[in-house]
Each structure stands twice: as C-alpha cells, then as structure tokens.
C-alpha cells in the first residue's frame, strides 16, 4: 500500500477534508459546517457523558466507563469496516450475519488452537466480503441488493452448519483465545485495546495512503475517479473484503469474551453499525467522514444504552427508539450542512 504526498481531490469539496484539518481553504461558514460535521459527534458524546455523570451517581465510576468501552469494542470493530464502505458511497447489510458466523466459526476452531480460532473466521468472513465485492464490482449489482442477499446467505449458512440452538459452540476453558476476550492490561480489556489499535491503523490508512484517498474520491464522484485513472474496481473490492474480515473478527472477539459462539447474535447489528458511522459524521452518500467520528458514534450509542439502563428501562426497545431519534436528527443536520456548504 503506497503512501501519497498530495491528497486526491476528485469531485466535491468534501474530499479535501482530512481529519486533522477540517475545511482548509473554505469560507468561514463552510469551515464551521465542516467542523460541525467532523467534530459534532465528539462534542455530543462529551456533553452526554458530563450530564449523565452529574445526574447518575454510578455513571461516572471507573468500572461503569470501563464496561461501556468493553461492550462497545465489538461494534466498534464492525463499524470500522462499515465506515470505509459508506465512504465509497456503498452499504454492507451483511455484517450482522457475518459477525455471528465469525463467532461460531471461531468458537468451533478454538478447539484446534488460538491461531485456528483467529484465522478461520477471517478467511470465511473475508470470502463473504469477497463475494460481495465481486458481485458489486464485476457484475455491476447494487450494494444494497448484494449485501441483503449475503445477509440471508450467511445467516442460512450459519444455521445449516449448527444445531440451530442458542449456544452452538463452546470455547475450551483456559485457552489463550478465551484470554484474548476476557483478559485485560492496565485494567482495560484486551478487546478495547484491539479496537483502539485497529482505529489507529484505520486513521493512517484513510489519511495517509493512496487507498484511503481513493476511497474518498470514489465516494465524492465515482465517475470522476475513473476518469482520473484511479483503481476504482480493486479499491471497492478490497473495501468489501475489509468489511467482511472486520465483521468476522469482531464476532470472533465476542465469542472469545463470551466463551461461546451464538447463532442468535448480530441480529440488527448492521443497523447499529450504520447508525454509528452516520452519527459519527460520515455522509451516507459517501466522500466525507472520519474513522475517529465513527468511534465517537459507537461510544455515544454505548453511553445511551447505559443511560437507559441507569434510568431503569429494562426493555431494549427504548434503546432503539433513542438511537433512531438520534439518527434522524443527525441525517437532518447533515442535509442542512450539505446545503450550507453548497451555498
């Protein structure tokens, strides 16, 4: 993966917005709109944490904040792959089923060793991502249709190779694979450290590589990116493989933490991942967004879930209601900001 000195700027001002310098070269109004788009989720997250810490006695405790980070780490891994897909202007609806498939495959392979438990889900789920990419790039099919089909395919495959029970595979106790999901360093769980490391890598890939700049160029204007001679097809293929691999790896992490692969997990996870990406400031139409914003979106969803639990609503439907409300609000704000930038 080669590094580039000059960012690709095909189609639209959004492609000129690196994470560290939002809106460079734009008017004051455009800079404020770009700043709100890129940093708005982080500001909302900090304000929500501050208010919740003042209202609820136990919210701001170290144990509670640590638990929020741990529970958010699995979605964070999946949402990272979804970020790159949406930045190209695409969508991947298969990640929930692929997540569950990765967990079951990892739990099954863990009886053959830790390496097998890590490699097997990556290979299987990467193959599902490759299938998505080939159908979209080579056959010219719409991402929505393709990934909706593979959502059903992966879920059906998952149920076909198991007994269709709730807990289908158990990770051997005391294995190194289980330790990866349940252990900690400096009081923070390994899954959190892994998610942080992946996001650091994601920032570098998006900002500092030709691959990342091509992802932004495709989302800004795919036709212009092709005219510029950028490798649109191969980049789209790699983006969908990346999404499948990260979804499977996230499922493997969850299986390690729970010591089992569960067929019923991951239902609706694709919507949570999409919500986190959009709440984090990435445009659904692609071409503008940051991986850091996605991480803030994931944490905001985790904080909201925790606040609902603090209030005492045991019904998880309230979390969907609040998340849906947040998503609608963010999409409305994005639409307003996009119009403001075009003025």
């Amino acid at each position: 993966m080669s590094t580039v000195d000059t960012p690709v700027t095909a189609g639209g001002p959004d492609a000129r917005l690196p994470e560290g310098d939002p809106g460079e070269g734009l008017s004051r109004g455009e800079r404020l709109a770009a700043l709100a788009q890129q940093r708005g989720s982080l500001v909302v997250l900090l304000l929500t944490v501050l208010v919740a810490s003042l209202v609820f006695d136990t919210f701001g405790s170290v144990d509670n904040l640590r638990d929020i980070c741990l529970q958010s780490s699995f979605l964070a891994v999946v949402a990272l792959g979804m970020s790159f897909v949406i930045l190209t202007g695409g969508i991947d609806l298969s990640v929930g089923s692929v997540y569950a498939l990765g967990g079951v495959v990892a739990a099954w392979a863990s009886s053959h060793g830790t390496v097998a438990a890590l490699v097997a889900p990556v290979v299987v789920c990467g193959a599902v991502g490759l299938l998505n990419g080939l159908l979209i790039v080579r056959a010219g099919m719409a991402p929505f249709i393709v990934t909706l089909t593979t959502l059903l395919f992966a879920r059906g495959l998952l149920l076909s190779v198991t007994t269709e029970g709730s807990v289908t595979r158990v990770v051997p106790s005391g294995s190194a694979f289980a330790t990866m999901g349940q252990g900690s360093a400096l009081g923070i769980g390994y899954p959190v450290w892994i998610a942080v490391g992946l996001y650091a890598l994601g920032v570098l890939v998006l900002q500092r590589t030709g691959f990342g700049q091509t992802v932004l160029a495709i989302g800004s204007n795919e036709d212009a990116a092709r005219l510029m001679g950028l490798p649109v097809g191969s980049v789209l293929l790699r983006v969908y493989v990346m999404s499948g691999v990260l979804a499977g790896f996230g499922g493997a992490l969850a299986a390690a933490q729970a010591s089992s692969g569960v067929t019923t997990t991951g239902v609706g996870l694709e919507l949570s991942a999409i919500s986190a990406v959009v709440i984090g400031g990435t445009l659904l139409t692609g071409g503008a967004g940051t991986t850091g914003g996605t991480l803030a979106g994931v944490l905001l969803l985790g904080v909201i879930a925790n606040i609902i639990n603090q209030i005492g609503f045991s019904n998880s439907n309230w979390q969907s209601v609040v998340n849906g409300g947040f998503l609608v609000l963010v999409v409305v704000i994005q639409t307003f900001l996009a119009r403001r930038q075009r003025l």
Side-chain angles (χ1 to χ4, degrees):
M1 194 174 292
S2 62
T3 58
V4 292
D5 295 323
T6 304
V8 176
T9 58
D14 294 332
R16 304 195 303 265
L17 303 177
E19 293 194 32
D21 192 8
E24 182 180 7
L26 302 178
S27 68
R28 183 178 180 182
E30 291 172 331
R31 288 178 64 86
L32 289 174
L35 190 62
Q37 179 189 325
Q38 290 195 9
R39 305 288 186 256
S41 58
L42 179 61
V43 173
V44 173
L45 172 63
L46 295 176
L47 288 176
T48 305
V49 170
L50 177 62
V51 172
S53 299
L54 295 175
V55 174
F56 303 104
D57 294 336
T58 58
F59 180 87
S61 67
V62 174
D63 286 342
N64 190 54
L65 295 177
R66 191 162 45 199
D67 185 60
I68 292 174
C69 292
L70 178 61
Q71 296 306 319
S72 300
S73 59
F74 311 110
L75 174 60
V77 174
V78 179
L80 178 60
M82 185 68 80
S83 292
F84 280 85
V85 171
I86 293 181
L87 281 169
T88 65
I91 200 78
D92 188 351
L93 298 178
S94 67
V95 293
S97 296
V98 173
Y99 175 88
L101 180 62
V104 170
V105 170
W108 167 78
S110 63
S111 60
H112 302 284
T114 301
V115 174
L118 292 175
V119 173
V122 167
V123 171
V124 172
C125 298
V128 176
L130 179 62
L131 177 62
N132 283 335
L134 287 174
L135 290 174
I136 292 168
V137 175
R138 304 299 182 195
M141 298 176 65
F144 177 85
I145 299 299
V146 170
T147 57
L148 181 62
T149 303
T150 50
L151 176 155
L152 300 174
F153 168 78
R155 185 67 65 178
L157 178 64
L158 172 66
L159 296 177
S160 297
V161 299
T162 65
T163 58
E164 300 190 18
S166 253
V167 178
T168 58
R169 300 288 176 182
V170 177
V171 177
S173 60
S175 70
F177 177 63
T179 302
M180 187 181 75
Q182 300 167 9
S184 64
L186 303 176
I188 299 174
Y190 288 150
V192 178
W193 289 113
I194 292 171
V196 170
L198 288 173
Y199 270 83
L201 182 62
V203 170
L204 289 176
V205 169
L206 186 60
Q207 291 190 59
R208 303 297 182 190
T209 69
F211 173 80
Q213 297 300 310
T214 303
V215 165
L216 291 171
I218 292 172
S220 294
N221 191 323
E222 184 173 334
D223 291 335
R226 291 184 189 281
L227 290 174
M228 292 175 65
L230 297 176
V232 173
S234 65
V235 168
L236 283 175
L237 198 62
R238 281 183 280 171
V239 163
Y240 282 96
V241 171
M242 180 192 302
S243 180
V245 166
L246 287 173
F249 183 66
L253 272 182
Q257 202 259 344
S259 291
S260 61
V262 183
T263 59
T264 54
T265 58
V267 176
L269 187 71
E270 60 278 356
L271 300 180
S272 297
I274 293 170
S275 298
V277 173
V278 175
I279 289 173
T282 297
L283 296 182
L284 267 175
T285 51
T290 66
T291 52
T294 296
L295 185 57
V298 169
L299 290 173
L300 185 56
L301 293 181
V303 167
I304 290 172
N306 192 271
I307 290 175
I308 291 175
N309 289 332
Q310 297 267 350
I311 292 173
F313 286 135
S314 57
N315 190 340
S316 62
N317 291 332
W318 281 107
Q319 183 179 341
S320 299
V321 171
V322 177
N323 290 347
F326 251 104
L327 186 58
V328 170
L329 179 63
V330 169
V331 171
V332 170
I333 293 174
Q334 281 189 353
T335 303
F336 170 78
L337 293 177
R339 290 175 179 171
R340 180 70 180 82
Q341 285 180 297
R342 286 197 295 266
L343 293 177

